[in-house]
């Protein structure tokens, strides 16, 4: 699948199909009810009545920020917007960083809630993306830039829990879905972002681990921690739309449940929530109880924690009980031989295909995906890290050096990445290995296929195509790749969807021609 992040950029991850009870535009999940922005009601193309970010005064600690958000929820309860749809982000800047986004996420007790995490490349890429199955796309953001938005330090990483609004279908990702997501985003609110992923091939059979993802899954978090180059931000987002059968009050109730980490079942409710229901006939009493409930947010051990969990040894220790491969090595070897025969034909139908296998491990203990992701931090230099986890579902985590594309206004930037060598033990050895990669005929052919495929696709949709540098080395902690940077100009913002549809999957993750490679992968049982 592909995973996505903000500022209209794109990266790569994997995906699957969803099963849940639906009622008109609403979708039920094990922990609570939330709005599916791709739901029915026919309202997905109508603009939201309100889309705004409210920035509260900066504070010195995350604890103070949590208390500020609690007061903001009480104020919103007392004076709700008088419109049928909208999305509001309330954020509190924190002058002192206090901790890292991934440490904040580890401190949250949110096992049944949606979780997401995205971090920027150390080498100054853009936090954000869009992608498909077997690849990941970080967040969507408005139009990739706004002259009116205030300047602030760049975002290094984002951690989120809960779902202000999510987007999921079992049908292939289409232009209407793209528009449904963009409907909740705005250039005036650049940090309201949708994080998620798109399936590599929405027509293929879905394996069990991907069933909760649908053919695509994106989420705007209810509560998030943004780690900046200078300081940080604690924020909450509330979204509602009467046409999707999700009212302001329902959205507010779920936000409060998320911030208190309570589930909407009688057996799991806190005493404060039970008191509120008993006194619900008296609006004044209810208002007082709501304020009491909000005050608990910065203090309750069961609520959204303003603290950070920093482990001395974050890597989980587990023993492998069993390991199997899908397909088996023998079956995979047969497919490799078959693919090589097709590629070597005088008029080949297939130029390149990427064949992969799935390794399935069973361990003696459960592994927290966020803890596992934290272990990969050392591998994350010059790469994006991501985690996407729908409610009560398996998590999709990983590191990728690749960005599918990034848009700012009408400017598109993308990259070609192919060919691989290990890093050298010594500096001189590393230089020699890099030179061997740069001048390898075999690696040059593979890299040229990827670069020229991207260039040709851009030429069909864009103007002012520029490739510079045309070939260089991208060095990562353990490996190095051949790389090229490409830029272009699109005609209008809606062409962004055509760029995504055209570029993903790239020859580096699927093959060339795309459809022939995709068909070979499916027919030969590859993953």
């Amino acid at each position: 699948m592909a995973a996505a992040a903000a500022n209209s950029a794109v990266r790569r991850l994997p995906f699957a199909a969803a099963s849940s009870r639906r009622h008109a535009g609403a979708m039920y999940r094990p922990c609570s009810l939330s709005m599916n922005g791709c739901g029915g009601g026919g309202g997905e193309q109508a603009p939201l009545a309100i889309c705004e970010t409210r920035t509260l005064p900066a504070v010195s600690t995350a604890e103070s920020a949590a208390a500020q958000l609690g007061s903001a929820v009480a104020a919103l309860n007392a004076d709700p917007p008088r419109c049928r749809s909208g999305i509001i982000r309330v954020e509190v800047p924190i002058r002192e960083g206090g901790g890292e986004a991934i440490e904040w996420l580890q401190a949250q007790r949110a096992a049944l809630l949606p979780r997401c995490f995205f971090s920027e490349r150390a080498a100054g890429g853009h936090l954000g993306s869009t992608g498909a199955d077997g690849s990941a796309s970080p967040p969507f953001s408005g139009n990739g830039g706004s002259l009116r938005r205030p300047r602030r330090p760049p975002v290094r990483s984002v951690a989120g829990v809960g779902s202000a609004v999510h987007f999921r279908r079992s049908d292939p990702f289409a232009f209407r879905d793209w528009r449904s997501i963009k409907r909740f985003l705005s250039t005036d609110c650049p940090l309201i972002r949708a994080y998620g992923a798109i399936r590599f091939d929405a027509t293929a059979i879905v394996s069990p681990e991907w069933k909760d993802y649908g053919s695509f899954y994106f989420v705007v978090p209810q509560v998030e921690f943004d780690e900046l180059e200078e300081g940080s931000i604690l924020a909450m987002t509330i979204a509602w739309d009467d046409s999707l059968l999700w009212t302001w009050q329902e959205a507010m109730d779920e936000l409060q449940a998320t911030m208190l980490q309570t589930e909407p079942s009688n057996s799991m409710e806190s005493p404060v929530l039970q008191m509120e229901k008993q006194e619900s006939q008296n609006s004044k009493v209810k208002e007082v109880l709501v304020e009491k409930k909000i005050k608990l947010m910065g203090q309750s051990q069961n609520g959204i924690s303003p603290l950070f969990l920093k482990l001395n040894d974050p890597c989980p220790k587990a023993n492998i009980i069993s390991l199997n491969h899908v397909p088996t090595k023998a079956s995979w070897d047969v497919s490799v031989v078959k693919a090589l025969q097709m590629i070597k034909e005088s008029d080949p139908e297939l130029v390149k295909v990427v064949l992969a296998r799935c390794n399935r491990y069973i361990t003696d203990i459960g592994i927290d995906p966020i803890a596992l992701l934290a272990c990969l931090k050392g591998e994350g230099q010059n790469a994006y890290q991501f985690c996407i986890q729908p409610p009560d579902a398996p998590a999709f985590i990983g590191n990728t050096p690749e960005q599918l594309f990034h848009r700012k206004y009408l400017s598109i930037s993308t990259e070609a990445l192919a060919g691989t060598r290990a890093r050298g033990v010594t500096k001189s050895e590393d230089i020699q290995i890099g030179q061997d990669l740069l001048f390898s005929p075999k690696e040059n052919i593979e890299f040229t296929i990827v670069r020229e495929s991207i260039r040709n696709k851009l030429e069909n949709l864009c103007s002012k195509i520029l490739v510079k540098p045309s070939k260089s080395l991208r060095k990562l902690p353990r490996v190095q790749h051949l790389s090229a940077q490409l830029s272009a100009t699109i005609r209008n913002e809606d062409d962004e969807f055509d760029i995504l549809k055209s570029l993903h999957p790239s020859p580096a993750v699927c093959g060339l021609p795309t459809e022939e490679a995709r068909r070979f992968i499916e027919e030969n049982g590859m993953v």
Side-chain angles (χ1 to χ4, degrees), residues 257-390:
T258 295
M259 297 185 79
L260 283 170
Q261 290 290 276
T262 55
E263 295 187 24
S265 64
N266 292 334
S267 62
M268 297 297 291
E269 288 176 322
S270 71
V272 177
L273 286 173
Q274 291 173 357
M275 286 175 61
E276 180 186 282
K277 284 193 172 182
Q278 292 167 7
E279 301 292 342
S280 62
Q281 300 300 318
N282 187 322
S283 60
K284 291 185 178 179
V285 174
K286 180 176 180 179
E287 186 173 313
V288 171
L289 291 174
V290 166
E291 290 193 24
K292 286 182 179 179
K293 180 171 63 176
I294 299 308
K295 289 178 181 177
L296 293 177
M297 289 192 301
Q299 306 169 6
S300 172
Q301 292 183 352
N302 294 321
I304 292 295
S305 173
L307 305 178
F308 301 86
L309 182 61
K310 194 174 184 70
L311 303 178
N312 293 328
D313 184 12
C315 295
K317 300 295 189 294
N319 297 311
I320 298 172
I321 297 174
S322 68
L323 166 64
N324 71 306
H325 308 281
V326 181
T328 65
K329 178 66 162 56
S331 298
W332 185 78
D333 287 341
V334 169
S335 296
V336 170
V337 171
K338 182 178 179 181
L340 289 173
Q341 290 173 343
M342 294 177 65
I343 291 171
K344 292 177 180 178
E345 292 176 356
S346 58
D347 186 16
E349 177 184 356
L350 193 64
V351 176
K352 176 184 178 180
V353 65
V354 180
L355 305 180
R357 292 197 298 157
C358 174
N359 298 331
R360 299 181 183 272
Y361 295 84
I362 297 179
T363 58
D364 59 346
I365 61 171
I367 298 176
D368 178 7
I370 305 303
L372 183 59
L373 187 63
C375 293
L376 298 176
K377 187 174 180 181
E379 306 295 323
Q381 182 183 352
N382 204 12
Y384 300 101
Q385 284 190 303
F386 61 85
C387 172
I388 303 168
Q389 187 172 24

Side-chain angles (χ1 to χ4, degrees), residues 387-451:
C387 172
I388 303 168
Q389 187 172 24
D392 198 25
F396 177 33
I397 68 173
N399 279 352
T400 175
E402 299 175 80
Q403 181 184 78
L404 191 55
F405 74 89
H406 175 268
R407 179 175 66 82
K408 184 172 184 179
Y409 307 113
L410 298 181
S411 297
I412 293 289
S413 60
T414 183
E415 56 197 26
L417 204 67
T420 306
R421 289 285 192 279
R423 297 294 303 271
V425 176
T426 64
K427 183 176 180 180
S428 60
E429 182 186 32
D430 190 59
I431 292 174
Q432 183 59 53
I433 293 174
Q435 293 300 301
D436 291 343
L437 175 59
L438 274 173
F439 296 102
S440 164
K442 183 266 182 187
E443 301 292 1
N444 184 65
I445 290 173
E446 178 184 349
F447 173 71
T448 302
I449 288 172
V450 173
R451 185 190 61 205

Side-chain angles (χ1 to χ4, degrees), residues 49-92:
I50 182 174
C51 181
E52 66 180 36
T53 295
R54 302 179 182 181
T55 303
L56 303 181
V59 296
S60 298
T61 65
E63 289 84 355
S64 298
Q68 284 254 52
L69 290 184
S71 299
V73 172
L76 286 170
N77 257 321
D79 185 22
R82 289 163 176 77
C83 49
R84 294 172 54 85
S85 65
I87 186 167
I88 297 174
R89 171 186 165 100
V90 182
E91 62 182 29
V92 182

Side-chain angles (χ1 to χ4, degrees), residues 445 499 503:
I445 290 173
I499 294 291
L503 291 183

Side-chain angles (χ1 to χ4, degrees), residues 53-301:
T53 295
R54 302 179 182 181
T55 303
L56 303 181
V59 296
S60 298
T61 65
E63 289 84 355
S64 298
Q68 284 254 52
L69 290 184
S71 299
V73 172
L76 286 170
N77 257 321
D79 185 22
R82 289 163 176 77
C83 49
R84 294 172 54 85
S85 65
I87 186 167
I88 297 174
R89 171 186 165 100
V90 182
E91 62 182 29
V92 182
I94 304 171
R95 287 187 289 267
E96 303 297 331
E100 299 179 3
I102 198 165
E103 294 172 351
W104 178 87
L105 190 57
Q106 283 183 282
Q108 308 311 312
R109 303 185 181 187
L112 295 179
L113 291 174
R115 297 190 291 182
C116 64
F117 176 84
F118 281 93
S119 71
E120 181 56 278
R121 289 194 295 202
H126 303 277
L127 179 61
S129 292
T130 307
D133 190 282
S135 90
S137 74
F140 290 125
S141 156
N143 74 351
S146 170
L147 293 174
R148 290 172 289 176
R149 81 184 184 199
R151 294 182 61 84
R152 68 168 84 217
V155 177
R156 282 182 172 174
S157 57
V158 173
V161 297
S163 168
V165 55
H166 72 273
F167 309 87
R168 179 169 60 189
R169 284 189 197 272
S170 57
D171 297 330
F173 190 64
F175 183 68
R176 63 174 181 173
D177 304 312
W178 179 268
R179 293 299 298 269
S180 293
I181 297 174
K182 300 270 288 185
R183 178 172 176 254
F184 285 85
L185 310 177
S186 168
T187 57
D188 294 327
C189 303
L191 292 185
I192 296 180
R193 300 169 169 181
Y195 301 84
I198 307 167
R199 287 191 61 198
F200 182 90
D201 185 353
T203 64
I205 297 173
V206 177
S207 55
E209 62 267 28
W210 297 115
K211 69 179 183 64
D212 293 305
Y213 288 80
S215 72
F216 62 90
Y217 171 81
F218 287 90
V219 61
V220 176
Q222 283 178 314
V223 184
E224 69 178 67
F225 183 89
D226 301 333
E227 180 187 340
L228 311 180
E229 287 189 1
E230 302 173 14
S232 55
I233 297 173
L234 188 64
M236 65 182 186
T237 301
I238 181 168
W240 73 101
D241 188 344
D242 291 356
S243 72
L244 296 176
L245 304 184
W246 192 245
T247 66
W248 164 268
Q249 193 56 56
E250 287 173 312
M252 180 60 71
D253 289 345
E254 179 158 304
L255 173 62
Q256 293 173 1
T258 295
M259 297 185 79
L260 283 170
Q261 290 290 276
T262 55
E263 295 187 24
S265 64
N266 292 334
S267 62
M268 297 297 291
E269 288 176 322
S270 71
V272 177
L273 286 173
Q274 291 173 357
M275 286 175 61
E276 180 186 282
K277 284 193 172 182
Q278 292 167 7
E279 301 292 342
S280 62
Q281 300 300 318
N282 187 322
S283 60
K284 291 185 178 179
V285 174
K286 180 176 180 179
E287 186 173 313
V288 171
L289 291 174
V290 166
E291 290 193 24
K292 286 182 179 179
K293 180 171 63 176
I294 299 308
K295 289 178 181 177
L296 293 177
M297 289 192 301
Q299 306 169 6
S300 172
Q301 292 183 352

